[in-house]
Amino acid sequence: MIRLSLCADRLTRSLADVDPEVARIVQEEDWRQRRGLQLIASENLVSAAVREAVGSVLTDKYAEGRPGRRYYAGCEFADQVEQLAEARAREVFDTDYQVNVQPHSGTSANLSVFLAVMKPGDRILSMDLAMGGHLSHGSPYNASGKLYEPSFYGVDKESERIDYDEVARIAREVRPRILVAGASAYPRQIDFAPFAAIAKEVDALLLADMSHIAGLVAAGEHPSPFGHADIVTTTTHKTLRGPRGGLVFCRDAWKKRIHSAIFPGTQGGPLMHQIAGKAVALKEAAEPAFVAYQRQVRANARVLAEVLVERGYRIVSGGTDNHLVLVDLCERMTGAEAETALREHHIYVNKNLIPFDPLPSSKCSGIRVGTPAMTSRGLDENDFRSVANLIADILAGESVEVAERVGALCGEAE
Ligand SMILES: *Cc1c(COP(=O)(O)O)cnc(C)c1O
């Protein structure tokens, strides 16, 4: 009986009771998120419903395998939630591609794709990290760059946009097994049709990694890669506004290889609580309010760019089509200095290389500013006009009533 009651006790005591240290840290992070302006382009704020699913007992369940074909007993509810997530993923992106919702992250989603379709030493062609690409697309520091042979395309020096003729030229020279379309710091629309044509011409597979723009795609605010790409990967936690994780979609022909490259190829048991959270986020993404949200995300980014131009900054590529703005600080300071100055006032952005940046990535000539998180908090164009002016004032060293102004923007958003 004593054993039993101890056990019950362990199962029901609150975090604050069991572990005040971690409880305090969580609470402080909650406060940091509420009191500041979260402008990191890859971040968002999930709903309480998503957090409830992620904090659920599904974390306890081992469910290796696919729904209906698991290696463990007792997976009936794991099956249900995973099937729900899969059906919703296909519905949200309006696609009949096969889907796997198990990837723990965007990077592991990409790794599984590479494992599925390449042999070690095969060639990848992707966007240069220094031009806005992602490290999981062949960086020498990532497994993708150690196991495979990467080549890179960048952006045009003048327009600072992808030059599809140049991508085609490099593709003909390199003849990659896989061509990757997708970026982490690219403020312009990505056109998947020319990428598909290039891939077809050089007999490569096209992987569209829509991690940053998945929410926009779901809402019809960015052209969709479905129908163009052989395989589509995404994170779930950026504009899509779900819990941390990844998804892989593929045409039927790749289904078996993709599923087995995820499990057992690169992962063990799926994180069923995260998958439950993905299912909830995908339900939210199918609601009309989500379209309005993504429109606002873009409208806010446009205003942000406009006001920063008015305030004398150069915006990479001259503007934005999506949820982020890449600001050239025009040698007034480094990106690292700007990041620090803003952080001191509870404004969070990240230093970022600009195309053809003369500075190393530890310093950077620019910052990347994104609107998804604060748009989730309810900020509109007027608010983002204030946000842009605040940023410009702080970077100019004018810190008049900054604390009040940050507080007002956060408070208004409550
Ligand atoms: C964020 C991102 C990823 C990786 O996501 P993680 O979940 O951090 O591993 C992959 N590709 C692109 C284009 C991204 O922007």
Side-chain angles (χ1 to χ4, degrees):
M1 280 313 284
I2 285 168
R3 265 198 7 232
L4 198 73
S5 70
L6 267 178
C7 181
D9 188 46
R10 183 187 70 80
L11 286 171
T12 55
R13 281 170 65 198
S14 73
L15 176 61
D17 198 15
V18 174
D19 191 338
E21 277 172 288
V22 167
R24 174 192 60 76
I25 292 167
V26 171
Q27 219 162 32
E28 295 214 35
E29 170 61 10
D30 186 37
W31 176 235
R32 187 196 67 80
Q33 288 185 16
R34 283 170 198 274
R35 80 180 302 194
L37 297 175
Q38 312 302 328
L39 300 171
I40 292 177
S42 49
E43 292 182 357
N44 212 327
L45 306 170
V46 301
S47 67
V50 168
R51 276 189 280 120
E52 197 177 328
V54 166
S56 72
V57 294
L58 282 160
T59 196
D60 295 330
K61 188 66 197 117
Y62 240 116
E64 281 178 351
R66 297 268 311 142
R69 288 187 287 117
R70 307 283 193 182
Y71 287 77
Y72 291 87
C75 288
E76 54 268 39
F77 302 111
D79 283 355
Q80 284 177 28
V81 82
E82 186 164 347
Q83 277 162 340
L84 205 49
E86 288 178 350
R88 287 176 179 172
R90 291 160 64 134
E91 191 193 316
V92 160
F93 293 103
D94 194 19
T95 181
D96 56 4
Y97 279 36
Q98 300 294 323
V99 65
N100 188 304
V101 299
Q102 294 187 4
H104 301 333
S105 72
T107 299
S108 52
N110 287 336
L111 256 189
S112 69
V113 171
F114 298 151
L115 183 74
V117 306
M118 288 198 286
K119 294 188 300 298
D122 279 359
R123 291 185 289 273
I124 304 176
L125 176 58
S126 64
M127 194 173 202
D128 193 339
L129 182 59
M131 299 274 183
H134 190 263
L135 67 90
S136 64
H137 300 168
S139 152
Y141 302 106
N142 182 258
S144 58
K146 294 182 196 289
L147 298 175
Y148 309 105
E149 204 175 298
S151 298
F152 302 103
Y153 58 86
V155 294
D156 176 69
K157 201 152 192 175
E158 283 298 306
S159 66
E160 298 176 303
R161 296 174 189 232
I162 295 169
D163 174 350
Y164 296 92
D165 293 334
E166 179 66 3
V167 177
R169 190 191 62 74
I170 302 171
R172 283 178 204 126
E173 198 178 292
V174 169
R175 299 206 69 94
R177 171 69 178 136
I178 197 162
L179 173 62
V180 187
S184 299
Y186 185 66
R188 293 304 186 170
Q189 186 174 301
I190 294 175
D191 295 329
F192 297 106
F195 269 115
I198 296 165
K200 187 161 185 231
E201 186 196 322
V202 302
D203 203 20
L205 290 168
L206 178 62
L207 165 62
D209 178 349
M210 61 172 183
S211 288
H212 256 265
I213 52 170
L216 300 174
V217 170
E221 289 293 302
H222 188 288
S224 173
F226 291 98
H228 298 294
D230 300 281
I231 302 171
V232 178
T233 55
T234 184
T235 51
T236 43
H237 48 275
K238 297 178 182 173
T239 49
L240 192 55
R241 202 161 65 181
R244 312 202 73 77
L247 306 174
V248 181
F249 298 85
C250 64
R251 295 196 198 267
D252 283 5
W254 295 102
K255 173 172 93 165
K256 276 186 109 151
R257 278 163 176 257
I258 289 289
H259 287 326
S260 67
I262 292 167
F263 170 83
T266 51
Q267 295 189 169
L271 310 178
M272 294 315 304
H273 56 300
Q274 293 298 115
I275 289 173
K278 289 173 190 176
V280 176
L282 289 163
K283 179 179 162 77
E284 292 172 352
E287 288 163 6
F290 194 73
V291 175
Y293 162 66
Q294 298 294 349
R295 285 198 182 131
Q296 192 66 57
V297 162
R298 287 182 70 205
N300 288 348
R302 282 194 295 271
V303 166
L304 186 69
E306 269 167 39
V307 176
L308 288 171
V309 167
E310 283 165 27
R311 296 292 303 261
Y313 289 96
R314 196 183 75 82
I315 301 301
V316 169
S317 82
T320 176
D321 298 328
N322 58 24
H323 61 297
L324 69 86
V325 173
L326 207 50
V327 187
D328 179 351
L329 298 164
C330 303
E331 299 181 355
R332 293 179 209 180
M333 62 179 71
T334 68
E337 287 162 352
E339 181 187 306
T340 304
L342 293 168
R343 193 186 61 210
E344 278 164 13
H345 296 286
H346 308 291
I347 298 176
Y348 301 92
V349 303
N350 64 280
K351 64 176 181 291
N352 214 104
L353 292 171
I354 60 171
F356 308 96
D357 203 319
L359 295 181
S361 58
S362 55
K363 293 200 172 80
C364 299
S365 296
I367 52 174
R368 189 184 66 163
V369 190
T371 57
M374 293 313 293
T375 307
S376 289
R377 295 276 308 268
L379 267 56
D380 63 11
E381 288 104 314
N382 275 333
D383 300 316
F384 264 91
R385 196 163 281 287
S386 308
V387 169
N389 278 310
L390 248 173
I391 290 173
D393 286 349
I394 291 168
L395 297 185
E398 298 164 23
S399 16
V400 189
E401 291 180 356
V402 164
E404 292 78 359
R405 289 157 70 196
V406 173
L409 284 164
C410 295
E412 273 167 23
E414 292 285 284

